[in-house]
Amino acid sequence: MAVTNNTIKTRASDFVRDLGIKVPAEHGAVVTFVLSSLGALYLAGDAFLTGSIALLFLVLMGLTLSNNRTLIVIASSGALLMTLLFGKPFYIAIFAACLLGCILIKSNRAVREVLGLFGVTTMPFGLVAAGFDSSEALPAILIFCLALSGAAFGASFVVHYAVMKVDGVSIFQLVFFLLASSLLWSVIPALSAVLLLPVALELLYRMRLRSLGFKRIGLIQAAYVTLVAITAGILL
C-alpha cells in the first residue's frame, strides 16, 4: 500500500509540475492581488457570482505563469465560458489582456515591476466590472482600483529608495503614485491622505527602514497596502 501511495503522490507531483502550477515568488504582488480581488468582490453587488467565477480563472492563470501553453488554455476557457454563460463579450478582451500581461511580465524586471503591479491591482476589478448590468457601480470600482494601484506603486518606490536603487522604473512608480494621490485628493481627500502619510514617513526615516532588511520592509508594505484597501472599503 505504501508503494501505491508513493506512486500516486509521484504522479500527482509530476502532473502539477507539467502544468507549471506554482505560487509566484513575489509575495508583495500576491498580497496585493488578494486585496484587489477581495475589494472587487466587495463592490461586486449583483455581479458577485460572475466575478467569483472570473477571478477563479485569473487565480489559475497566476498559478501557471511558468507554462505559456497552460496559460493560453485557461485564459481561452475562461473567456469562452464566461461569454457563453453570461453573454458578456467584454470577458474576451479582458482575458486576452490578462494573458498578454502574464506573458510579458516574464520578459524583464522593468516590465514585471510596472506591468505586473498594475495587472494585479486592476485586472480583478476589470473582470468583476465586466459582469455589471449598469454603470452605477463603476465610479466606486475605479476609485478603489486607483487607491490600491497607487498604494502598490508607492510601496514599491519606497523599497527602491530605501535600498538606494532609484532608477527609471522606480521614478515611474513615484510619478504614478503622486498622480493617483492627486486624483484621489479631488474625490476623497481622506483616502488620499492614507496613501500619502505612510509613504512620507517611510521616506523621512529611510535609513531606519533600510536597516530592517527586505523581509520586514515587505511586511510593513503589505500592512500599508492592506490599510489602504480597508480604508477604501470603509469610505466607499
Side-chain angles (χ1 to χ4, degrees), residues 37 45 66 76 90 92 113-114 119 126 141-142 153 203:
S37 298
S66 61
S76 301
F90 295 111
I92 296 176
E113 292 197 17
V114 174
I141 282 280
L142 291 174
F153 278 105
L203 294 178

PDB file of all heavy atoms in Angstrom, residues 37 45 66 76 90 92 113-114 119 126 141-142 153 203:
ATOM      1  N   SER A  37      -8.667  41.513  -5.300  1.00  0.00           N
ATOM      2  CA  SER A  37      -9.752  40.569  -5.580  1.00  0.00           C
ATOM      3  C   SER A  37     -10.861  40.694  -4.543  1.00  0.00           C
ATOM      4  O   SER A  37     -12.054  40.728  -4.884  1.00  0.00           O
ATOM      5  CB  SER A  37      -9.215  39.132  -5.604  1.00  0.00           C
ATOM      6  OG  SER A  37      -8.260  38.965  -6.637  1.00  0.00           O
ATOM      7  N   GLY A  45     -21.659  43.526  -5.843  1.00  0.00           N
ATOM      8  CA  GLY A  45     -23.120  43.588  -5.830  1.00  0.00           C
ATOM      9  C   GLY A  45     -23.736  42.381  -6.516  1.00  0.00           C
ATOM     10  O   GLY A  45     -23.415  41.232  -6.199  1.00  0.00           O
ATOM     11  N   SER A  66       4.400  30.029 -15.274  1.00  0.00           N
ATOM     12  CA  SER A  66       5.606  29.468 -15.875  1.00  0.00           C
ATOM     13  C   SER A  66       5.338  28.627 -17.117  1.00  0.00           C
ATOM     14  O   SER A  66       6.270  28.216 -17.802  1.00  0.00           O
ATOM     15  CB  SER A  66       6.362  28.613 -14.848  1.00  0.00           C
ATOM     16  OG  SER A  66       5.551  27.531 -14.410  1.00  0.00           O
ATOM     17  N   SER A  76      -8.297  31.104 -22.464  1.00  0.00           N
ATOM     18  CA  SER A  76      -9.290  30.849 -23.518  1.00  0.00           C
ATOM     19  C   SER A  76     -10.547  30.212 -22.938  1.00  0.00           C
ATOM     20  O   SER A  76     -11.670  30.585 -23.305  1.00  0.00           O
ATOM     21  CB  SER A  76      -8.691  29.938 -24.596  1.00  0.00           C
ATOM     22  OG  SER A  76      -7.534  30.520 -25.173  1.00  0.00           O
ATOM     23  N   PHE A  90     -17.273  41.309 -23.166  1.00  0.00           N
ATOM     24  CA  PHE A  90     -16.133  42.039 -22.615  1.00  0.00           C
ATOM     25  C   PHE A  90     -15.091  41.097 -22.009  1.00  0.00           C
ATOM     26  O   PHE A  90     -13.905  41.434 -21.940  1.00  0.00           O
ATOM     27  CB  PHE A  90     -16.604  43.031 -21.538  1.00  0.00           C
ATOM     28  CG  PHE A  90     -17.486  44.121 -22.065  1.00  0.00           C
ATOM     29  CD1 PHE A  90     -18.824  44.162 -21.734  1.00  0.00           C
ATOM     30  CD2 PHE A  90     -16.986  45.093 -22.907  1.00  0.00           C
ATOM     31  CE1 PHE A  90     -19.656  45.161 -22.216  1.00  0.00           C
ATOM     32  CE2 PHE A  90     -17.796  46.107 -23.401  1.00  0.00           C
ATOM     33  CZ  PHE A  90     -19.138  46.134 -23.056  1.00  0.00           C
ATOM     34  N   ILE A  92     -13.838  38.479 -23.196  1.00  0.00           N
ATOM     35  CA  ILE A  92     -12.843  38.060 -24.183  1.00  0.00           C
ATOM     36  C   ILE A  92     -11.674  39.039 -24.195  1.00  0.00           C
ATOM     37  O   ILE A  92     -10.505  38.643 -24.154  1.00  0.00           O
ATOM     38  CB  ILE A  92     -13.477  37.963 -25.585  1.00  0.00           C
ATOM     39  CG1 ILE A  92     -14.556  36.876 -25.593  1.00  0.00           C
ATOM     40  CG2 ILE A  92     -12.406  37.659 -26.634  1.00  0.00           C
ATOM     41  CD1 ILE A  92     -15.308  36.774 -26.905  1.00  0.00           C
ATOM     42  N   GLU A 113       7.885  44.807 -12.786  1.00  0.00           N
ATOM     43  CA  GLU A 113       7.603  45.701 -11.666  1.00  0.00           C
ATOM     44  C   GLU A 113       6.586  46.781 -12.007  1.00  0.00           C
ATOM     45  O   GLU A 113       5.964  47.345 -11.111  1.00  0.00           O
ATOM     46  CB  GLU A 113       8.902  46.340 -11.170  1.00  0.00           C
ATOM     47  CG  GLU A 113       9.845  45.351 -10.529  1.00  0.00           C
ATOM     48  CD  GLU A 113      10.919  46.035  -9.695  1.00  0.00           C
ATOM     49  OE1 GLU A 113      10.743  47.225  -9.362  1.00  0.00           O
ATOM     50  OE2 GLU A 113      11.921  45.376  -9.383  1.00  0.00           O
ATOM     51  N   VAL A 114       6.421  47.083 -13.287  1.00  0.00           N
ATOM     52  CA  VAL A 114       5.431  48.083 -13.683  1.00  0.00           C
ATOM     53  C   VAL A 114       4.144  47.415 -14.143  1.00  0.00           C
ATOM     54  O   VAL A 114       3.075  47.601 -13.543  1.00  0.00           O
ATOM     55  CB  VAL A 114       5.987  49.004 -14.794  1.00  0.00           C
ATOM     56  CG1 VAL A 114       4.885  49.943 -15.297  1.00  0.00           C
ATOM     57  CG2 VAL A 114       7.168  49.811 -14.285  1.00  0.00           C
ATOM     58  N   GLY A 119      -1.156  45.082 -13.217  1.00  0.00           N
ATOM     59  CA  GLY A 119      -2.072  43.987 -13.522  1.00  0.00           C
ATOM     60  C   GLY A 119      -2.749  43.407 -12.290  1.00  0.00           C
ATOM     61  O   GLY A 119      -3.960  43.189 -12.289  1.00  0.00           O
ATOM     62  N   GLY A 126     -11.384  44.761 -13.225  1.00  0.00           N
ATOM     63  CA  GLY A 126     -11.887  44.708 -14.586  1.00  0.00           C
ATOM     64  C   GLY A 126     -12.773  43.508 -14.831  1.00  0.00           C
ATOM     65  O   GLY A 126     -13.828  43.623 -15.470  1.00  0.00           O
ATOM     66  N   ILE A 141     -15.659  51.308  -8.184  1.00  0.00           N
ATOM     67  CA  ILE A 141     -14.643  50.366  -8.653  1.00  0.00           C
ATOM     68  C   ILE A 141     -13.382  51.113  -9.078  1.00  0.00           C
ATOM     69  O   ILE A 141     -12.251  50.724  -8.734  1.00  0.00           O
ATOM     70  CB  ILE A 141     -15.187  49.530  -9.836  1.00  0.00           C
ATOM     71  CG1 ILE A 141     -16.111  48.421  -9.335  1.00  0.00           C
ATOM     72  CG2 ILE A 141     -14.054  48.934 -10.658  1.00  0.00           C
ATOM     73  CD1 ILE A 141     -15.404  47.195  -8.804  1.00  0.00           C
ATOM     74  N   LEU A 142     -13.555  52.187  -9.828  1.00  0.00           N
ATOM     75  CA  LEU A 142     -12.406  52.955 -10.319  1.00  0.00           C
ATOM     76  C   LEU A 142     -11.630  53.598  -9.174  1.00  0.00           C
ATOM     77  O   LEU A 142     -10.396  53.617  -9.179  1.00  0.00           O
ATOM     78  CB  LEU A 142     -12.886  54.023 -11.303  1.00  0.00           C
ATOM     79  CG  LEU A 142     -13.412  53.508 -12.652  1.00  0.00           C
ATOM     80  CD1 LEU A 142     -13.991  54.652 -13.467  1.00  0.00           C
ATOM     81  CD2 LEU A 142     -12.309  52.804 -13.428  1.00  0.00           C
ATOM     82  N   PHE A 153       2.250  50.990  -6.053  1.00  0.00           N
ATOM     83  CA  PHE A 153       3.391  51.663  -6.673  1.00  0.00           C
ATOM     84  C   PHE A 153       4.157  52.506  -5.657  1.00  0.00           C
ATOM     85  O   PHE A 153       5.389  52.574  -5.707  1.00  0.00           O
ATOM     86  CB  PHE A 153       2.904  52.539  -7.825  1.00  0.00           C
ATOM     87  CG  PHE A 153       2.695  51.777  -9.107  1.00  0.00           C
ATOM     88  CD1 PHE A 153       1.422  51.470  -9.550  1.00  0.00           C
ATOM     89  CD2 PHE A 153       3.777  51.351  -9.859  1.00  0.00           C
ATOM     90  CE1 PHE A 153       1.226  50.755 -10.725  1.00  0.00           C
ATOM     91  CE2 PHE A 153       3.596  50.642 -11.033  1.00  0.00           C
ATOM     92  CZ  PHE A 153       2.316  50.341 -11.473  1.00  0.00           C
ATOM     93  N   LEU A 203       9.769  57.616   3.744  1.00  0.00           N
ATOM     94  CA  LEU A 203      10.831  58.340   3.045  1.00  0.00           C
ATOM     95  C   LEU A 203      11.650  59.174   4.023  1.00  0.00           C
ATOM     96  O   LEU A 203      12.869  59.314   3.870  1.00  0.00           O
ATOM     97  CB  LEU A 203      10.231  59.236   1.954  1.00  0.00           C
ATOM     98  CG  LEU A 203       9.555  58.513   0.787  1.00  0.00           C
ATOM     99  CD1 LEU A 203       8.972  59.515  -0.185  1.00  0.00           C
ATOM    100  CD2 LEU A 203      10.536  57.593   0.077  1.00  0.00           C
TER     101      LEU A 203
END
